[in-house]
Amino acid sequence: MGRVSNEIEDEVLPSDTSAAQLNDESYEGSTSVVLKKGPWTSTEDDILVDYVNKHGEGNWNAVQKHTGLLRCGKSCRLRWANHLRPNLKKGAFTAEEERFIAELHAKMGNKWARMAAHLPGRTDNEIKNYWNTRIKRRQRAGLPLYPPEMCLQDFQENQRNQSNGGLNGGNKMHLDLLQKNSYGIHGAIFDSTKDNQGILPYAPKFSDVSVCGNMLKGLDSSSQYCSVMPPASPKNKRLRESTIPTFHGSNDTKKNGLYPLCKNRDNNYDKISQSFGMQALLDPGPSLHNSMCYSHSPSNGNPSTSKPTFEAVKLELPSLQYPELHLGRWGTSPPPPLLESVDDFFQSHTPISTLESDCSSPQNSGLLDALLYQAKTLSSSRNHCSDKSSNSSTATPGDRGDNSALNVYETEWEDYADPVSPFGATSILNECPDLRGSENSLDEQLSLQTFTGNIPKLEFVDKVWTPDNENQTLSFLNINRPDLLFASDWNDLGFGHGKNQAITTDTTTTLLGEDFAADHKHMTSGTSQSSQVWGFGSCATAANNMHALCHLSDLG
DNA sequence: AAGAGACTCAACCGCTGATTC
DNA sequence: AGAATCAGCGGTTGAGTCTCT
């Protein structure tokens, strides 16, 4: 845009640059050739296009020699790649593209070129500009950079990693990165917490639990952005003494699939709580630390003393910022229940993801427990008979083995799946038509999703995005929604339609309150397809749900 | 209407890895 | 093996445009 001024003065391309031009500061180069800088003119474009048409791409330094174009090879390549090459898609990103970019960024970080490779017609520069703009915008708005669902996914991966034996190589890398990045992260995380202290009764008081890698990264190199976008308003200055622990993923996910939130029965809620900044209040013990990185010096030994690392490190990897996302909702939640009870809840129930094959009996009493157990039982029997729908989001690792497409992508994933990326290449093929056709911007939709329970599902990242496959790419994963036991999944279980659904909804309302029920109701209003999957509408919602369930469990 | 600030985007810069000599 | 060159990537800059007050 802009820079039209050059258009006039350069209408004639100076293959025979005058001496006057040599002194022009817009020209630079060696003693022999003075290369022009600044905006390209249409004439230059024509020359370049003509050259590329004749000689093909590459050998950019030869352009100047052969055409007299006073541009360096770099500039030519850039011009061609970003503006002149055919099939470039100009114009604003569509909502679908925006979502896809978010997903890609979540997985890749600031790998613009890679991202561009998945968006035909889009350039890395374009994507980069878009993303940076988005970051700024969301930062100003105090919004998270990523949809909360992504955070959950990362958390789930982390859960699996922990259950699989602690830190693996990827996690180790995580730690390294984390330590390097702890400063920026600290600020970021803390910002989000303090900002919500007023409304978040269980705002984390733990300190020094630095967010791990993927959550922290991805924002940008200069750490000017944080995983949780703090409102730009000065009045929102925040403390710097605490952080919200978060989880990090690993590439294990791409092997294990998804939905592990409840898969590991070991203190799942503890870990969730950790992720939401609750854990430390209750359990400062080492369990927390399995997945948490500490920014303070190990020699310090004082977990309450945050010692940000000031080493300047470029953060590239994705940053998942969920804690802040819906703190408003958190704020509306009752004070946290006894987390132990939540642990009990999870421990007493077969992980949702394994309902199909494992119907444990409730170990806890309580209405919801009973309901959940009943649902599980029915689900198990039903699923065994129905041979799992093709788009089941609860594919097990074994299922994945049957998915050749998945395997293909999985292989390619290895190339760039960052071990510290928040998301592995989890691939659950579920469509969520709810978002399709929406013309809302991604930001808007993400906000919406927060309350509708739609979880943007990370698909095979290594496929090229097209409108045709977008519905697959943007599948949604709802694997960890205890609240949906009352709704969508009951549909799936044969409970949810008509009267039964009304009953469960009413029950939810009664037991969990209008707010929760409204959420639940909203979420269940989706299509049957979307109701086949489980998920958190938002981390906060999930937390609320768990709190509610915990309450119920205790009440029961 | 005007000014300020935000936004957008093209282009440049520096760095890195691959390739060639 | 090491230097030179090339291609590409990601970060940054800056000017035009837009929006808000």
Side-chain angles (χ1 to χ4, degrees):
Chain A
M1 39 193 280
R3 323 216 174 171
V4 189
S5 56
N6 267 31
E7 198 90 19
I8 300 172
E9 68 188 35
D10 294 327
E11 207 45 55
V12 176
L13 240 216
S15 58
D16 52 344
T17 308
S18 68
Q21 284 175 317
L22 295 178
N23 294 329
D24 191 318
E25 62 179 354
S26 68
Y27 288 79
E28 73 172 12
S30 65
T31 54
S32 58
V33 178
V34 179
L35 298 178
K36 183 170 174 266
K37 295 169 68 175
W40 280 65
T41 67
S42 57
T43 304
E44 289 175 306
D45 285 346
D46 291 342
I47 292 173
L48 181 57
V49 169
D50 189 55
Y51 174 84
V52 174
N53 288 337
K54 289 178 181 175
H55 301 90
E57 299 182 40
N59 202 12
W60 296 109
N61 285 335
V63 176
Q64 189 272 327
K65 298 172 186 173
H66 293 146
T67 67
L69 195 57
L70 296 179
R71 296 282 182 172
C72 68
K74 254 183 164 182
S75 186
C76 292
R77 186 189 66 81
L78 204 64
R79 183 67 185 175
W80 173 259
N82 290 342
H83 301 282
L84 302 179
R85 68 182 163 92
N87 302 323
L88 272 181
K89 193 188 294 181
K90 290 293 184 180
F93 286 100
T94 66
E96 289 76 18
E97 284 176 311
E98 290 177 352
R99 278 195 296 272
F100 194 50
I101 290 171
E103 292 183 6
L104 290 175
H105 191 274
K107 290 190 176 185
M108 298 178 180
N110 297 353
K111 302 300 181 185
W112 312 118
R114 275 179 173 176
M115 294 166 71
H118 297 279
L119 288 161
R122 299 297 187 178
T123 69
D124 55 351
N125 208 34
E126 218 175 352
I127 295 171
K128 179 170 58 181
N129 284 335
Y130 159 74
W131 191 256
N132 288 336
T133 297
R134 168 193 166 89
I135 287 177
K136 286 181 183 176
R137 187 166 58 240
R138 294 185 71 86
Q139 184 180 31
R140 244 194 315 279
L143 295 171
L145 186 55
Y146 294 106
E149 300 80 12
M150 292 185 181
C151 305
L152 175 64
Q153 229 172 344
D154 183 72
F155 164 76
Q156 293 167 347
E157 294 170 21
N158 188 47
Q159 292 300 295
R160 181 179 291 105
N161 291 340
Q162 289 187 35
S163 67
N164 285 345
L167 293 177
N168 54 18
N171 285 337
K172 193 175 180 180
M173 184 174 174
H174 245 13
L175 285 168
D176 295 342
L177 291 167
L178 173 70
Q179 288 165 3
K180 290 178 182 177
N181 299 331
S182 58
Y183 176 60
I185 291 155
H186 257 287
I189 297 306
F190 192 92
D191 280 352
S192 69
T193 62
K194 182 192 174 184
D195 217 22
N196 297 282
Q197 279 180 343
I199 58 174
L200 189 58
Y202 33 89
K205 290 186 169 32
F206 41 78
S207 51
D208 278 333
V209 181
S210 181
V211 176
C212 284
N214 35 11
M215 300 305 202
L216 325 170
K217 305 167 74 172
L219 284 179
D220 97 344
S221 45
S222 51
S223 300
Q224 60 179 311
Y225 312 122
C226 35
S227 47
V228 178
M229 297 291 110
S233 172
K235 67 183 177 183
N236 288 328
K237 278 188 175 180
R238 294 150 181 169
L239 301 174
R240 293 196 59 206
E241 287 301 322
S242 70
T243 59
I244 293 176
T246 179
F247 48 81
H248 51 75
S250 81
N251 53 3
D252 282 351
T253 303
K254 63 177 181 285
K255 300 171 184 171
N256 298 335
L258 213 12
Y259 40 57
L261 174 58
C262 301
K263 207 163 191 171
N264 307 321
R265 304 179 57 147
D266 55 329
N267 298 322
N268 275 312
Y269 191 76
D270 271 357
K271 291 164 184 173
I272 294 174
S273 300
Q274 294 165 16
S275 296
F276 285 92
M278 297 180 282
Q279 166 64 32
L281 293 173
L282 301 169
D283 178 19
S287 66
L288 166 66
H289 309 153
N290 288 338
S291 62
M292 300 303 158
C293 306
Y294 291 80
S295 62
H296 62 77
S297 168
S299 61
N300 185 324
N302 179 9
S304 65
T305 303
S306 180
K307 283 191 177 284
T309 301
F310 291 92
E311 178 180 353
V313 172
K314 300 273 186 179
L315 301 183
E316 270 191 8
L317 291 177
S319 151
L320 291 188
Q321 40 313 95
Y322 49 89
E324 176 185 285
L325 299 186
H326 310 292
L327 291 176
R329 287 191 55 79
W330 283 46
T332 64
S333 303
L338 295 174
L339 295 181
E340 288 82 358
S341 63
V342 182
D343 286 340
D344 289 344
F345 170 78
F346 279 102
Q347 290 170 8
S348 65
H349 291 285
T350 301
I352 292 170
S353 58
T354 59
L355 288 178
E356 295 164 312
S357 59
D358 181 11
C359 296
S360 60
S361 55
Q363 296 166 11
N364 254 4
S365 58
L367 175 57
L368 281 183
D369 282 356
L371 290 171
L372 288 169
Y373 175 64
Q374 187 176 5
K376 285 189 297 184
T377 303
L378 289 167
S379 173
S380 177
S381 59
R382 178 171 176 255
N383 286 331
H384 279 133
C385 295
S386 62
D387 192 15
K388 295 171 189 170
S389 61
S390 60
N391 66 340
S392 170
S393 66
T394 56
T396 64
D399 294 335
R400 290 179 56 89
D402 297 331
N403 190 331
S404 58
L406 267 177
N407 293 337
V408 170
Y409 289 113
E410 198 172 282
T411 299
E412 190 176 356
W413 246 110
E414 300 289 351
D415 293 339
Y416 68 78
D418 195 321
V420 295
S421 174
F423 316 109
T426 55
S427 305
I428 308 301
L429 297 175
N430 273 295
E431 290 188 22
C432 182
D434 295 338
L435 290 180
R436 290 194 56 75
S438 170
E439 299 301 326
N440 293 339
S441 70
L442 174 59
D443 288 352
E444 292 167 343
Q445 290 180 357
L446 292 180
S447 296
L448 181 62
Q449 289 164 18
T450 292
F451 299 94
T452 59
N454 292 331
I455 295 180
K457 175 60 197 74
L458 295 177
E459 261 300 337
F460 316 120
V461 171
D462 259 316
K463 67 181 177 185
V464 174
W465 180 89
T466 67
D468 289 340
N469 65 18
E470 184 265 340
N471 59 338
Q472 288 184 348
T473 300
L474 298 175
S475 58
F476 294 83
L477 180 64
N478 306 321
I479 55 170
N480 299 308
R481 279 202 78 127
D483 56 321
L484 288 184
L485 281 169
F486 299 98
S488 59
D489 267 72
W490 283 57
N491 291 341
D492 195 31
L493 301 175
F495 274 91
H497 295 293
K499 189 176 180 178
N500 285 330
Q501 185 172 19
I503 291 172
T504 58
T505 302
D506 291 343
T507 303
T508 307
T509 304
T510 300
L511 296 176
L512 306 182
E514 293 294 336
D515 185 41
F516 175 77
D519 233 9
H520 141 261
K521 185 177 181 180
H522 191 162
M523 290 181 291
T524 59
S525 63
T527 68
S528 58
Q529 258 184 317
S530 64
S531 68
Q532 290 177 351
V533 293
W534 297 55
F536 280 130
S538 72
C539 296
T541 299
N544 283 340
N545 298 348
M546 284 185 284
H547 287 315
L549 290 169
C550 176
H551 274 309
L552 290 171
S553 184
D554 287 342
L555 289 173

